[in-house]
Amino acid sequence: DRHDWYVDRGDNTGERRYVIDFYNGEASTTTNGDRKNPNMALPSMFLDVRPALDDVDSVQDRMKMFVRDAFPGIYGFMGRKNGADL
């Protein structure tokens, strides 16, 4: 299920559009002693949230997220080196 959300990030850039995909996860159950109780199942879902590619800033944000996820050690080192919290 896909949704578009408009978010004001509070950085004086105005609203930005984000694409949010919802995916069903596996049904989970809670335990009561040794018995599993399917009537007490908790909802499970996965979210994929990313900036929509509407402008150059959004493309840059998406690239930063990719680099951060793909190369966490390098991204953390670059943030410390520049004195910024990326």
Side-chain angles (χ1 to χ4, degrees), residues 2-80:
R2 177 170 285 185
H3 298 271
D4 290 347
W5 286 22
Y6 291 87
V7 177
D8 183 351
R9 299 185 332 170
D11 58 1
N12 296 324
T13 60
E15 288 187 341
R16 292 227 182 142
R17 185 169 68 98
Y18 282 78
V19 177
I20 302 174
D21 290 322
F22 294 86
Y23 302 99
N24 288 332
E26 293 183 18
S28 63
T29 57
T30 59
T31 57
N32 183 6
D34 293 333
R35 298 179 313 166
K36 289 191 173 186
N37 185 351
N39 294 327
M40 298 296 291
L42 301 173
S44 175
M45 70 179 75
F46 299 97
L47 299 175
D48 183 16
V49 180
R50 60 203 177 276
L53 299 177
D54 293 338
D55 55 31
V56 174
D57 289 336
S58 296
V59 172
Q60 288 176 341
D61 284 346
R62 180 113 37 119
M63 294 304 295
K64 286 179 189 177
M65 290 169 37
F66 170 76
V67 171
R68 183 189 65 201
D69 292 344
F71 309 103
I74 294 171
Y75 196 79
F77 174 75
M78 289 171 50
R80 286 191 302 273

